[in-house]
PDB file of all heavy atoms in Angstrom:
ATOM      1  N   GLY A 736      18.719 -11.170  11.097  1.00  0.00           N
ATOM      2  CA  GLY A 736      17.842 -10.071  11.101  1.00  0.00           C
ATOM      3  C   GLY A 736      18.330  -8.886  10.399  1.00  0.00           C
ATOM      4  O   GLY A 736      19.505  -8.890   9.824  1.00  0.00           O
ATOM      5  N   SER A 737      17.592  -7.791  10.161  1.00  0.00           N
ATOM      6  CA  SER A 737      18.117  -6.651   9.519  1.00  0.00           C
ATOM      7  C   SER A 737      18.070  -5.445  10.401  1.00  0.00           C
ATOM      8  O   SER A 737      17.155  -5.381  11.245  1.00  0.00           O
ATOM      9  CB  SER A 737      17.209  -6.284   8.246  1.00  0.00           C
ATOM     10  OG  SER A 737      17.133  -7.369   7.467  1.00  0.00           O
ATOM     11  N   GLY A 738      18.900  -4.475  10.187  1.00  0.00           N
ATOM     12  CA  GLY A 738      18.824  -3.142  10.986  1.00  0.00           C
ATOM     13  C   GLY A 738      18.845  -3.457  12.431  1.00  0.00           C
ATOM     14  O   GLY A 738      19.659  -4.195  13.069  1.00  0.00           O
ATOM     15  N   THR A 739      17.847  -2.897  13.135  1.00  0.00           N
ATOM     16  CA  THR A 739      17.823  -2.995  14.586  1.00  0.00           C
ATOM     17  C   THR A 739      17.612  -4.377  15.081  1.00  0.00           C
ATOM     18  O   THR A 739      18.357  -4.952  16.045  1.00  0.00           O
ATOM     19  CB  THR A 739      16.581  -2.118  15.102  1.00  0.00           C
ATOM     20  OG1 THR A 739      16.958  -0.752  14.855  1.00  0.00           O
ATOM     21  CG2 THR A 739      16.422  -2.324  16.627  1.00  0.00           C
ATOM     22  N   SER A 740      16.863  -5.182  14.193  1.00  0.00           N
ATOM     23  CA  SER A 740      16.714  -6.577  14.653  1.00  0.00           C
ATOM     24  C   SER A 740      18.021  -7.399  14.521  1.00  0.00           C
ATOM     25  O   SER A 740      18.224  -8.335  15.356  1.00  0.00           O
ATOM     26  CB  SER A 740      15.661  -7.269  13.905  1.00  0.00           C
ATOM     27  OG  SER A 740      14.367  -6.581  14.075  1.00  0.00           O
ATOM     28  N   ILE A 783      14.939 -12.767  13.546  1.00  0.00           N
ATOM     29  CA  ILE A 783      14.387 -11.779  14.360  1.00  0.00           C
ATOM     30  C   ILE A 783      13.791 -10.652  13.609  1.00  0.00           C
ATOM     31  O   ILE A 783      14.612 -10.111  12.725  1.00  0.00           O
ATOM     32  CB  ILE A 783      15.304 -11.346  15.501  1.00  0.00           C
ATOM     33  CG1 ILE A 783      15.976 -12.510  16.180  1.00  0.00           C
ATOM     34  CG2 ILE A 783      14.784 -10.178  16.372  1.00  0.00           C
ATOM     35  CD1 ILE A 783      17.066 -12.132  17.235  1.00  0.00           C
ATOM     36  N   SER A 784      12.543 -10.368  13.675  1.00  0.00           N
ATOM     37  CA  SER A 784      12.012  -9.196  12.897  1.00  0.00           C
ATOM     38  C   SER A 784      10.708  -8.632  13.525  1.00  0.00           C
ATOM     39  O   SER A 784       9.880  -9.348  13.993  1.00  0.00           O
ATOM     40  CB  SER A 784      11.547  -9.744  11.470  1.00  0.00           C
ATOM     41  OG  SER A 784      10.878  -8.853  10.725  1.00  0.00           O
ATOM     42  N   GLN A 785      10.770  -7.466  13.717  1.00  0.00           N
ATOM     43  CA  GLN A 785       9.578  -6.787  14.295  1.00  0.00           C
ATOM     44  C   GLN A 785       8.428  -7.054  13.431  1.00  0.00           C
ATOM     45  O   GLN A 785       7.416  -7.507  13.911  1.00  0.00           O
ATOM     46  CB  GLN A 785       9.875  -5.215  14.508  1.00  0.00           C
ATOM     47  CG  GLN A 785       8.840  -4.456  15.214  1.00  0.00           C
ATOM     48  CD  GLN A 785       7.548  -4.128  14.299  1.00  0.00           C
ATOM     49  OE1 GLN A 785       6.396  -4.312  14.766  1.00  0.00           O
ATOM     50  NE2 GLN A 785       7.659  -3.661  13.148  1.00  0.00           N
ATOM     51  N   SER A 786       8.469  -6.670  12.176  1.00  0.00           N
ATOM     52  CA  SER A 786       7.375  -6.748  11.286  1.00  0.00           C
ATOM     53  C   SER A 786       7.115  -8.134  10.843  1.00  0.00           C
ATOM     54  O   SER A 786       5.853  -8.550  10.589  1.00  0.00           O
ATOM     55  CB  SER A 786       7.614  -5.863  10.001  1.00  0.00           C
ATOM     56  OG  SER A 786       8.643  -6.414   9.248  1.00  0.00           O
ATOM     57  N   GLY A 787       8.102  -9.059  10.723  1.00  0.00           N
ATOM     58  CA  GLY A 787       7.915 -10.258  10.140  1.00  0.00           C
ATOM     59  C   GLY A 787       7.628 -10.240   8.640  1.00  0.00           C
ATOM     60  O   GLY A 787       7.248 -11.191   7.952  1.00  0.00           O
ATOM     61  N   GLU A 788       7.931  -8.994   8.006  1.00  0.00           N
ATOM     62  CA  GLU A 788       7.634  -9.028   6.623  1.00  0.00           C
ATOM     63  C   GLU A 788       8.970  -8.470   5.858  1.00  0.00           C
ATOM     64  O   GLU A 788       8.907  -8.267   4.712  1.00  0.00           O
ATOM     65  CB  GLU A 788       6.604  -7.875   6.219  1.00  0.00           C
ATOM     66  CG  GLU A 788       5.171  -8.264   6.893  1.00  0.00           C
ATOM     67  CD  GLU A 788       4.512  -9.543   6.292  1.00  0.00           C
ATOM     68  OE1 GLU A 788       4.948 -10.009   5.215  1.00  0.00           O
ATOM     69  OE2 GLU A 788       3.584  -9.934   6.945  1.00  0.00           O
ATOM     70  N   THR A 789      10.030  -8.373   6.515  1.00  0.00           N
ATOM     71  CA  THR A 789      11.284  -7.879   5.914  1.00  0.00           C
ATOM     72  C   THR A 789      11.757  -8.771   4.761  1.00  0.00           C
ATOM     73  O   THR A 789      11.975 -10.001   5.106  1.00  0.00           O
ATOM     74  CB  THR A 789      12.395  -7.579   6.977  1.00  0.00           C
ATOM     75  OG1 THR A 789      11.734  -6.615   7.855  1.00  0.00           O
ATOM     76  CG2 THR A 789      13.636  -7.010   6.278  1.00  0.00           C
ATOM     77  N   VAL A 792      14.887 -10.794   5.378  1.00  0.00           N
ATOM     78  CA  VAL A 792      14.818 -11.697   6.373  1.00  0.00           C
ATOM     79  C   VAL A 792      14.084 -13.095   5.802  1.00  0.00           C
ATOM     80  O   VAL A 792      14.505 -14.159   5.950  1.00  0.00           O
ATOM     81  CB  VAL A 792      14.030 -11.252   7.603  1.00  0.00           C
ATOM     82  CG1 VAL A 792      13.855 -12.329   8.703  1.00  0.00           C
ATOM     83  CG2 VAL A 792      14.820 -10.109   8.203  1.00  0.00           C
ATOM     84  N   VAL A 835       8.883   4.797  12.403  1.00  0.00           N
ATOM     85  CA  VAL A 835       9.768   3.982  11.454  1.00  0.00           C
ATOM     86  C   VAL A 835      10.950   3.493  12.166  1.00  0.00           C
ATOM     87  O   VAL A 835      11.426   2.480  11.846  1.00  0.00           O
ATOM     88  CB  VAL A 835      10.032   4.806  10.249  1.00  0.00           C
ATOM     89  CG1 VAL A 835      11.221   4.195   9.330  1.00  0.00           C
ATOM     90  CG2 VAL A 835       8.735   4.949   9.301  1.00  0.00           C
ATOM     91  N   ALA A 836      11.542   4.323  13.082  1.00  0.00           N
ATOM     92  CA  ALA A 836      12.762   3.895  13.785  1.00  0.00           C
ATOM     93  C   ALA A 836      12.234   2.901  14.899  1.00  0.00           C
ATOM     94  O   ALA A 836      11.362   3.203  15.642  1.00  0.00           O
ATOM     95  CB  ALA A 836      13.398   5.092  14.601  1.00  0.00           C
ATOM     96  N   ALA A 837      12.870   1.755  14.851  1.00  0.00           N
ATOM     97  CA  ALA A 837      12.635   0.845  15.897  1.00  0.00           C
ATOM     98  C   ALA A 837      13.103   1.268  17.199  1.00  0.00           C
ATOM     99  O   ALA A 837      14.376   1.636  17.452  1.00  0.00           O
ATOM    100  CB  ALA A 837      13.304  -0.554  15.485  1.00  0.00           C
ATOM    101  N   THR A 838      12.221   1.301  18.217  1.00  0.00           N
ATOM    102  CA  THR A 838      12.649   1.634  19.652  1.00  0.00           C
ATOM    103  C   THR A 838      12.197   0.569  20.591  1.00  0.00           C
ATOM    104  O   THR A 838      12.894  -0.342  21.082  1.00  0.00           O
ATOM    105  CB  THR A 838      12.007   3.061  20.010  1.00  0.00           C
ATOM    106  OG1 THR A 838      10.633   3.074  19.825  1.00  0.00           O
ATOM    107  CG2 THR A 838      12.691   4.067  19.317  1.00  0.00           C
ATOM    108  N   SER A 840      10.332  -2.055  20.037  1.00  0.00           N
ATOM    109  CA  SER A 840      10.465  -3.441  19.591  1.00  0.00           C
ATOM    110  C   SER A 840      11.911  -4.070  19.934  1.00  0.00           C
ATOM    111  O   SER A 840      12.061  -5.090  20.087  1.00  0.00           O
ATOM    112  CB  SER A 840      10.188  -3.453  18.194  1.00  0.00           C
ATOM    113  OG  SER A 840      11.228  -2.886  17.419  1.00  0.00           O
ATOM    114  N   GLN A 844      12.439  -7.286  22.044  1.00  0.00           N
ATOM    115  CA  GLN A 844      13.189  -8.311  21.407  1.00  0.00           C
ATOM    116  C   GLN A 844      14.298  -8.879  22.454  1.00  0.00           C
ATOM    117  O   GLN A 844      14.468  -9.965  22.777  1.00  0.00           O
ATOM    118  CB  GLN A 844      13.890  -7.951  20.172  1.00  0.00           C
ATOM    119  CG  GLN A 844      12.904  -7.725  18.955  1.00  0.00           C
ATOM    120  CD  GLN A 844      13.638  -7.053  17.780  1.00  0.00           C
ATOM    121  OE1 GLN A 844      14.703  -6.537  17.936  1.00  0.00           O
ATOM    122  NE2 GLN A 844      13.019  -7.152  16.612  1.00  0.00           N
ATOM    123  N   GLU A 910      23.447   0.143  17.112  1.00  0.00           N
ATOM    124  CA  GLU A 910      22.181   0.619  17.196  1.00  0.00           C
ATOM    125  C   GLU A 910      21.973   2.088  17.441  1.00  0.00           C
ATOM    126  O   GLU A 910      21.165   2.854  16.863  1.00  0.00           O
ATOM    127  CB  GLU A 910      21.369  -0.253  18.251  1.00  0.00           C
ATOM    128  CG  GLU A 910      19.931   0.229  18.625  1.00  0.00           C
ATOM    129  CD  GLU A 910      19.055   0.018  17.376  1.00  0.00           C
ATOM    130  OE1 GLU A 910      19.425  -0.542  16.341  1.00  0.00           O
ATOM    131  OE2 GLU A 910      17.921   0.513  17.414  1.00  0.00           O
ATOM    132  N   LEU A 913      22.753   3.824  14.268  1.00  0.00           N
ATOM    133  CA  LEU A 913      21.586   3.775  13.245  1.00  0.00           C
ATOM    134  C   LEU A 913      20.455   4.609  13.675  1.00  0.00           C
ATOM    135  O   LEU A 913      19.870   5.411  12.808  1.00  0.00           O
ATOM    136  CB  LEU A 913      21.110   2.265  13.352  1.00  0.00           C
ATOM    137  CG  LEU A 913      19.686   2.005  12.540  1.00  0.00           C
ATOM    138  CD1 LEU A 913      20.062   2.264  11.003  1.00  0.00           C
ATOM    139  CD2 LEU A 913      19.356   0.505  12.566  1.00  0.00           C
ATOM    140  N   LYS A 914      20.167   4.946  14.990  1.00  0.00           N
ATOM    141  CA  LYS A 914      19.199   5.890  15.347  1.00  0.00           C
ATOM    142  C   LYS A 914      19.665   7.269  14.905  1.00  0.00           C
ATOM    143  O   LYS A 914      18.715   8.095  14.521  1.00  0.00           O
ATOM    144  CB  LYS A 914      18.884   5.875  16.850  1.00  0.00           C
ATOM    145  CG  LYS A 914      18.374   4.679  17.529  1.00  0.00           C
ATOM    146  CD  LYS A 914      16.950   4.297  17.061  1.00  0.00           C
ATOM    147  CE  LYS A 914      16.907   3.434  15.882  1.00  0.00           C
ATOM    148  NZ  LYS A 914      16.551   2.085  15.769  1.00  0.00           N
ATOM    149  N   GLU A 917      19.213   7.535  11.023  1.00  0.00           N
ATOM    150  CA  GLU A 917      17.830   7.477  10.431  1.00  0.00           C
ATOM    151  C   GLU A 917      16.960   8.685  11.072  1.00  0.00           C
ATOM    152  O   GLU A 917      16.030   9.101  10.298  1.00  0.00           O
ATOM    153  CB  GLU A 917      17.184   6.178  10.517  1.00  0.00           C
ATOM    154  CG  GLU A 917      16.798   5.743  11.966  1.00  0.00           C
ATOM    155  CD  GLU A 917      16.083   4.394  11.946  1.00  0.00           C
ATOM    156  OE1 GLU A 917      15.514   3.953  10.966  1.00  0.00           O
ATOM    157  OE2 GLU A 917      16.285   3.678  13.013  1.00  0.00           O
ATOM    158  N   LEU A1026      12.676   6.471   4.020  1.00  0.00           N
ATOM    159  CA  LEU A1026      12.678   5.117   4.762  1.00  0.00           C
ATOM    160  C   LEU A1026      11.220   4.584   4.731  1.00  0.00           C
ATOM    161  O   LEU A1026      10.298   5.362   4.396  1.00  0.00           O
ATOM    162  CB  LEU A1026      13.168   5.152   6.076  1.00  0.00           C
ATOM    163  CG  LEU A1026      14.654   5.582   6.295  1.00  0.00           C
ATOM    164  CD1 LEU A1026      15.001   5.649   7.726  1.00  0.00           C
ATOM    165  CD2 LEU A1026      15.444   4.585   5.488  1.00  0.00           C
ATOM    166  N   ALA A1027      10.977   3.433   5.119  1.00  0.00           N
ATOM    167  CA  ALA A1027       9.630   2.810   5.377  1.00  0.00           C
ATOM    168  C   ALA A1027       9.741   1.858   6.497  1.00  0.00           C
ATOM    169  O   ALA A1027      10.867   1.364   6.761  1.00  0.00           O
ATOM    170  CB  ALA A1027       9.063   2.174   4.165  1.00  0.00           C
ATOM    171  N   LYS A1028       8.653   1.681   7.119  1.00  0.00           N
ATOM    172  CA  LYS A1028       8.649   0.761   8.379  1.00  0.00           C
ATOM    173  C   LYS A1028       8.922  -0.673   7.941  1.00  0.00           C
ATOM    174  O   LYS A1028       9.681  -1.350   8.594  1.00  0.00           O
ATOM    175  CB  LYS A1028       7.358   0.923   9.118  1.00  0.00           C
ATOM    176  CG  LYS A1028       7.369   0.121  10.392  1.00  0.00           C
ATOM    177  CD  LYS A1028       8.159   0.803  11.431  1.00  0.00           C
ATOM    178  CE  LYS A1028       8.169  -0.075  12.811  1.00  0.00           C
ATOM    179  NZ  LYS A1028       9.275   0.314  13.691  1.00  0.00           N
ATOM    180  N   SER A1029       8.295  -1.093   6.959  1.00  0.00           N
ATOM    181  CA  SER A1029       8.452  -2.531   6.640  1.00  0.00           C
ATOM    182  C   SER A1029       9.142  -2.534   5.207  1.00  0.00           C
ATOM    183  O   SER A1029       8.664  -1.991   4.281  1.00  0.00           O
ATOM    184  CB  SER A1029       7.265  -3.250   6.337  1.00  0.00           C
ATOM    185  OG  SER A1029       6.564  -3.490   7.557  1.00  0.00           O
ATOM    186  N   VAL A1030      10.351  -3.123   5.239  1.00  0.00           N
ATOM    187  CA  VAL A1030      11.186  -3.147   3.990  1.00  0.00           C
ATOM    188  C   VAL A1030      10.763  -4.388   3.186  1.00  0.00           C
ATOM    189  O   VAL A1030      11.568  -5.395   3.470  1.00  0.00           O
ATOM    190  CB  VAL A1030      12.582  -2.889   4.181  1.00  0.00           C
ATOM    191  CG1 VAL A1030      13.370  -2.713   2.876  1.00  0.00           C
ATOM    192  CG2 VAL A1030      12.858  -1.628   5.042  1.00  0.00           C
TER     193      VAL A1030
HETATM  194  O1  M6R B1176      10.673  -5.389  10.865  1.00  0.00           O
HETATM  195  P1  M6R B1176      12.091  -5.712  10.899  1.00  0.00           P
HETATM  196  O2  M6R B1176      12.584  -5.816  12.319  1.00  0.00           O
HETATM  197  O3  M6R B1176      12.544  -6.911  10.136  1.00  0.00           O
HETATM  198  O4  M6R B1176      12.846  -4.417  10.254  1.00  0.00           O
HETATM  199  C1  M6R B1176      14.199  -4.592  10.144  1.00  0.00           C
HETATM  200  C2  M6R B1176      14.725  -3.155   9.753  1.00  0.00           C
HETATM  201  O5  M6R B1176      14.217  -2.752   8.583  1.00  0.00           O
HETATM  202  C3  M6R B1176      14.488  -2.152  10.816  1.00  0.00           C
HETATM  203  O6  M6R B1176      15.005  -2.534  12.033  1.00  0.00           O
HETATM  204  C4  M6R B1176      15.117  -0.800  10.453  1.00  0.00           C
HETATM  205  O7  M6R B1176      16.523  -0.833  10.395  1.00  0.00           O
HETATM  206  C5  M6R B1176      14.548   0.283  11.353  1.00  0.00           C
HETATM  207  N1  M6R B1176      14.247   1.459  10.736  1.00  0.00           N
HETATM  208  C6  M6R B1176      15.666   0.762  12.461  1.00  0.00           C
HETATM  209  O8  M6R B1176      15.142   1.709  13.304  1.00  0.00           O
END
Side-chain angles (χ1 to χ4, degrees):
S737 300
T739 294
S740 295
I783 304 175
S784 171
Q785 185 283 131
S786 61
E788 300 295 349
T789 302
V792 178
V835 166
T838 52
S840 65
Q844 288 168 343
E910 176 58 12
L913 180 58
K914 292 297 89 110
E917 68 180 333
L1026 301 181
K1028 183 75 182 158
S1029 291
V1030 186

